[in-house]
């Protein structure tokens, strides 16, 4: 029974993966067929091999890279095909001919643009023309035109039938913010229980969380690109911009949480006393992170998150510093920093977020006020 259950779970996982990639598959299939149809019937090319190839290549790059990278690829393919077609038609094929074609194709690409994608694609495409598909006759620029047709069709299909730019952003946003909430909650539980092993596990998991941030940034870059170029996704720009606003403060919050976890572990190893309000504050911070995750996913301004983070900031008073030794004091200071990070993730400026913190030295401030 266990093997059947595992097989069912694996099948479900693979089907979900297929559903997530359904739009890119449909894009490539439609673009390839349309590119071949246009090159064959509109332009009269008898065997427009490179039109569907270029369409699929341009879509494959534009799914996860910037439009410039996709354009570089198509230009590189066109240069390689054009140079290869022209030269091989006159000089034939062979070792020295291939070397000459590659050198000239790459040189042409470098003269036009310094992008590495253009140069590499020009080289590989010229090799393809010179070896597998040498021109039987002097066909001129036919296959270069086919590549340009395919690339253009790929861009049009990506714009008219785009993937949902928010789907990947939501998925990666959940991963990042769940990792942050789990780390804060885990540190709170570890210091409340004086559990050294739990603190060690929390720190180990927190150290692996940075990749989630990088994946979120890549998802936002691709999503914002889709929202700029695809008319039916323009209305998603506001939701993506909320994620974009939150991305850098979330990154800082994760980094500060790793520092917090490391110093909490050191404090537990050294037997430092734990400020009594600290576990509760960490739980509140974790709750604010969960609110941020849910509000971003719902497409609303994270106002509840702002109030929750502001509440934690107001409670992180200087009195907490007096209850712990060095490492625990660093933990308290990190609580203040993370609260500021979360406030910035809701759209506040650094100055506005820091204003929510109580002063570190209230006695000095009151003295200076009375002296004036």
């Amino acid at each position: 029974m266990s093997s059947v259950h595992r097989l069912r779970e694996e099948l479900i996982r693979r089907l979900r993966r297929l559903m997530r990639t359904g739009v890119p598959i449909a894009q490539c299939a439609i673009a390839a067929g349309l590119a071949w149809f246009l090159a064959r019937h509109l332009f009269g090319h008898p065997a427009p091999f490179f039109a569907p190839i270029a369409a699929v290549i341009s879509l494959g790059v534009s799914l996860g890279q910037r439009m410039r990278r996709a354009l570089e690829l198509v230009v590189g393919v066109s240069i390689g095909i054009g140079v290869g077609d022209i030269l091989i038609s006159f000089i034939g094929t062979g070792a020295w001919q291939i070397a000459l074609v590659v050198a000239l194709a790459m040189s042409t690409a470098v003269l036009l643009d310094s992008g590495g994608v253009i140069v590499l694609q020009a080289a590989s495409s010229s090799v393809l023309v010179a070896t597998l598909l040498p021109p039987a006759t002097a066909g001129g620029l036919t296959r270069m035109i086919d590549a340009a047709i395919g690339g253009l069709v790929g861009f049009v299909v990506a714009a008219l039938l785009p993937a949902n730019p928010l789907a990947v952003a939501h998925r990666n946003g959940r991963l990042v913010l769940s990792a942050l909430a789990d780390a804060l909650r885990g540190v709170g539980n570890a210091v409340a229980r004086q559990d050294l092993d739990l603190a060690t596990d929390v720190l180990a998991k927190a150290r692996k969380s940075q990749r989630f941030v990088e994946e979120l940034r890549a998802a936002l870059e691709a999503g914002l690109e889709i929202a700029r170029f695809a008319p039916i996704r323009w209305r998603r720009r506001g939701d993506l911009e909320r994620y974009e606003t939150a991305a850098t403060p979330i990154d800082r919050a994760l980094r500060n949480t790793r520092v917090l976890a490391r110093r909490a572990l050191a404090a537990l190893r050294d037997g430092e006393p734990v400020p009594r309000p600290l576990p509760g504050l960490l739980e509140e911070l974790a709750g604010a992170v969960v609110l941020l995750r849910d509000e971003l996913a719902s497409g609303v301004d994270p106002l509840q998150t702002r109030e929750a983070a502001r509440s934690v900031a107001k409670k992180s008073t200087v009195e907490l510093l007096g209850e712990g030794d060095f490492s625990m004091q660093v933990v308290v200071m990190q609580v203040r920093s993370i609260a500021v990070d979360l406030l910035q993730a809701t759209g506040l400026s650094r100055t506005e977020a820091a204003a929510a913190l109580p002063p570190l030295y209230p006695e000095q401030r009151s003295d200076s006020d009375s002296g004036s």
Side-chain angles (χ1 to χ4, degrees):
M1 290 296 294
S2 60
S3 60
V4 174
H5 181 68
R6 285 197 299 270
L7 180 61
R8 184 184 298 112
E9 287 185 342
E10 180 66 15
L11 180 59
I12 292 173
R13 185 181 68 82
R14 289 172 183 253
L15 287 174
R16 286 176 177 169
R17 184 175 63 192
L18 177 60
M19 291 177 64
R20 285 198 302 267
T21 56
V23 171
I25 290 173
Q27 286 178 329
C28 289
I30 293 171
L34 184 59
W36 187 91
F37 179 85
L38 292 175
R40 176 71 176 84
H41 296 286
L42 187 62
F43 289 85
H45 297 171
F49 175 85
F50 281 103
I53 288 291
V56 171
I57 288 175
S58 67
L59 278 168
V61 173
S62 62
L63 287 174
Q65 303 288 338
R66 295 168 298 182
M67 284 291 183
R68 174 177 170 81
R69 293 290 301 276
L71 182 60
E72 286 179 350
L73 189 146
V74 173
V75 171
V77 170
S78 300
I79 291 172
I81 293 170
V83 172
D85 257 336
I86 293 171
L87 288 180
I88 297 301
S89 295
F90 290 101
I91 65 177
T93 59
W96 71 267
Q97 290 95 331
I98 291 173
L100 178 61
V101 166
V102 170
L104 290 177
M106 294 182 73
S107 298
T108 302
V110 170
L111 288 174
L112 290 177
D113 191 282
S114 61
V117 175
I118 287 183
V119 176
L120 292 176
Q121 287 301 320
S124 59
S125 300
S126 64
V127 169
L128 183 61
V129 169
T131 55
L132 295 180
L133 297 162
T137 60
L141 302 179
T142 298
R143 292 195 284 196
M144 189 169 85
I145 294 172
D146 286 343
I149 292 170
L152 180 60
V153 169
F155 285 129
V156 171
V157 169
L160 296 180
L161 298 173
N164 184 354
L166 274 176
V168 180
H170 285 331
R171 184 165 64 250
N172 287 280
R174 276 196 302 272
L175 289 173
V176 173
L177 293 168
S178 294
L180 177 55
D182 290 345
L184 291 168
R185 190 172 287 117
V187 173
N189 290 334
V191 296
R193 302 174 189 173
Q194 300 284 300
D195 191 332
L196 196 60
D197 292 336
L198 178 57
T200 302
D201 291 341
V202 171
L203 178 57
K205 290 179 181 178
R207 283 172 171 164
K208 298 177 182 178
S209 61
Q210 189 60 34
R211 65 183 179 90
F212 296 143
V213 176
E214 302 307 322
E215 290 169 359
L216 175 61
R217 290 188 183 278
L220 289 176
E221 183 179 4
L224 287 167
E225 175 186 296
I226 291 172
R228 282 196 300 269
F229 287 94
I232 68 172
R233 299 301 187 188
W234 286 346
R235 61 190 178 89
R236 299 296 188 186
R237 283 182 289 190
D239 294 336
L240 288 167
E241 286 168 0
R242 291 189 188 92
Y243 274 108
E244 183 75 7
T245 298
T248 298
I250 289 171
D251 186 7
R252 286 199 299 266
L254 264 173
R255 295 175 189 274
N256 285 326
T257 299
R258 288 196 288 271
V259 175
L260 180 147
R262 187 165 62 249
R263 298 316 306 178
L265 178 60
L268 292 178
R269 283 175 177 165
D270 295 340
E272 295 184 15
V274 177
R276 284 166 295 177
L278 180 60
L281 283 180
L282 290 172
E283 181 63 34
E284 285 189 50
L285 268 183
V289 173
V290 172
L291 274 175
L292 179 60
R293 181 193 66 193
D294 294 343
E295 288 185 306
L296 288 176
S298 300
V300 298
D301 290 330
L303 300 181
Q304 293 185 56
T305 303
R306 184 176 299 173
E307 291 308 310
R310 184 175 279 129
S311 174
V312 175
K314 290 178 179 178
K315 294 175 184 176
S316 58
T317 61
V318 69
E319 284 78 10
L320 287 175
L321 296 175
E323 296 186 33
D325 294 331
F326 173 75
S327 289
M328 200 53 72
Q329 289 181 353
V330 174
V331 170
V332 173
M333 294 298 293
Q334 290 305 114
V335 169
R336 291 167 63 94
S337 295
I338 296 167
V340 170
D341 294 332
L342 291 181
L343 286 170
Q344 287 185 267
T346 68
L348 294 184
S349 68
R350 179 77 180 177
T351 301
E352 292 170 332
L357 292 172
L360 275 177
Y361 305 105
E363 296 85 359
Q364 290 185 7
R365 175 173 289 190
S366 62
D367 291 344
S368 62
D369 291 342
S370 61
S372 61

